[in-house]
């Protein structure tokens, strides 16, 4: 791309771009550039030391600890945004959906509104996996009930997959896979089958599994494979 065209990517008109170039405000790979027609990669061009391209979107996974709100700010309580390093937080990524304050595990945060919207929309059926600890012994009948959908007071939860990992007389552990995420949905589904939850954690959203090396409270940017997997799942892959 021509240099003057690349400079317009930051919002300048072509004539403003040419004036900025003539004034020596534009550099390409570290050197002042004065030839308006030189061929450049936009990523190499700075105006007044700042990149001309809009910063790329941010995609982050957070391992949310209990006691933290899934929000960007709150006057008094700690939020998932407070767990991000300052340079990422300043770019204002928002959480994709919500985990209750007492629920732990995977929260995705992004500046990409379209992806966020599709990941929480039932239309795109992005699976979320939860690890649930509940009271009492889970049985095959509970698996069947989940698979048929559960009638709750204000809506019917869509069919979901329940996999029992451990069943004891007093407590059981299971994996639940849902494609929707209404308010307190997993807690309400377990309560409705007579097994109130004692702990809940999210371990997966679509193709993104919570990185086991992330301690509670830690975060990292998604890898290219994770990001592209989500894009593909949501029909956004170019
Ligand atoms: N279901 C719940 O009940 N709570 C959550 O935070 C997420 C899913």
């Amino acid at each position: 791309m021509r240099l003057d065209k690349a400079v317009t990517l930051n919002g300048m008109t072509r004539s403003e771009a040419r004036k900025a170039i003539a004034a020596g405000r534009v550099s390409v790979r570290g050197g002042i550039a004065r030839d308006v027609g030189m061929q450049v990669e936009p990523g190499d061009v700075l105006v007044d030391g700042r990149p001309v391209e809009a910063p790329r979107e941010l995609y982050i996974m957070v391992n949310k600890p209990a006691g933290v709100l899934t929000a960007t700010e709150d006057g008094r309580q700690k939020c998932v945004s407070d767990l991000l390093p300052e340079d990422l937080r300043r770019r204002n990524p928002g959480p994709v959906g919500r985990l209750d304050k007492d629920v732990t595990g995977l929260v995705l945060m992004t500046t990409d509104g379209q992806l966020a919207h599709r990941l929480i929309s039932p239309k795109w059926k992005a699976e979320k996996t939860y690890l649930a600890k509940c009271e009492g012994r889970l049985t095959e009948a509970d698996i069947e009930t989940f698979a048929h959908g559960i009638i709750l007071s204000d809506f019917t939860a869509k069919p979901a997959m329940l996999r029992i990992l451990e069943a004891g007389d007093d407590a059981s552990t299971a994996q639940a896979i849902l494609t929707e995420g209404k308010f307190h949905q997993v807690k309400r589904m377990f309560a409705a089958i007579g097994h109130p939850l004692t702990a809940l954690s999210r371990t997966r959203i679509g193709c993104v599994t919570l990185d086991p090396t992330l301690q509670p409270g830690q975060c990292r940017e998604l890898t290219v494979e994770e990001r592209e997997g989500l894009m593909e799942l949501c029909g956004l892959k170019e």
Side-chain angles (χ1 to χ4, degrees):
M1 179 185 297
R2 283 172 58 98
L3 179 61
D4 54 356
K5 169 90 171 124
V7 171
T8 65
L9 295 176
N10 74 356
M12 285 179 169
T13 63
R14 188 69 75 110
S15 88
E16 286 168 342
R18 289 187 178 156
K19 281 186 194 146
I21 295 165
R25 292 167 54 201
V26 177
S27 62
V28 176
R29 268 182 267 119
I32 302 292
R34 298 201 183 267
D35 174 4
V36 294
M38 82 185 274
Q39 288 297 311
V40 294
E41 288 294 327
D44 293 336
V45 181
L46 303 180
V47 178
D48 300 329
R50 284 191 290 275
V52 290
E53 282 188 312
R56 61 192 173 75
E57 301 281 10
L58 266 184
Y59 304 88
I60 304 165
M61 71 161 76
V62 179
N63 185 357
K64 179 182 126 31
V68 173
L69 296 183
T70 311
T72 49
E73 61 177 296
D74 182 89
R76 283 171 299 158
Q77 302 191 65
K78 192 160 182 169
C79 299
V80 282
S81 289
D82 300 325
L83 303 172
L84 305 181
E86 183 55 29
D87 59 322
L88 299 184
R89 186 171 54 206
R90 245 187 287 122
R91 289 169 59 190
N92 265 330
V96 176
R98 296 256 176 279
L99 285 184
D100 299 335
K101 187 174 167 186
D102 61 332
V103 173
T104 61
L106 177 62
V107 174
L108 293 179
M109 299 191 71
T110 184
T111 52
D112 182 340
Q114 194 176 30
L115 180 74
H117 177 75
R118 291 194 184 188
L119 282 173
I120 56 177
S121 158
K123 182 176 160 206
W124 292 93
K125 298 192 175 71
E127 288 185 348
K128 284 101 188 169
T129 300
Y130 296 87
L131 185 64
K133 294 189 178 165
C134 65
E135 293 178 10
R137 180 182 289 278
L138 288 170
T139 65
E140 285 293 317
D142 298 314
I143 295 176
E144 286 287 301
T145 310
F146 261 65
H148 282 101
I150 297 177
I151 299 169
L152 300 170
S153 59
D154 50 344
F155 76 102
T156 299
K158 291 208 171 88
M161 201 181 99
L162 183 68
R163 207 172 126 227
I164 300 172
L165 303 176
E166 250 182 74
D169 286 340
D170 296 332
S172 301
T173 306
Q175 219 177 39
I177 303 179
L178 279 72
T179 54
E180 56 182 355
K182 298 211 168 69
F183 190 55
H184 294 331
Q185 181 162 345
V186 181
K187 290 176 182 166
R188 292 180 65 195
M189 288 167 75
F190 276 83
I193 61 166
H195 296 281
L197 288 186
T198 52
L200 183 63
S201 177
R202 185 160 62 195
T203 57
R204 182 178 69 94
I205 297 176
C207 58
V208 177
T209 298
L210 180 62
D211 185 332
T213 67
L214 284 183
Q215 298 302 309
Q218 292 186 326
C219 65
R220 71 156 167 82
E221 288 191 58
L222 296 191
T223 62
V224 174
E225 291 74 29
E226 288 168 334
R227 195 178 69 219
E228 289 187 348
L230 291 180
M231 295 290 182
E232 193 163 357
L233 175 70
C234 294
L236 293 171
K237 190 129 186 234
E238 282 142 27

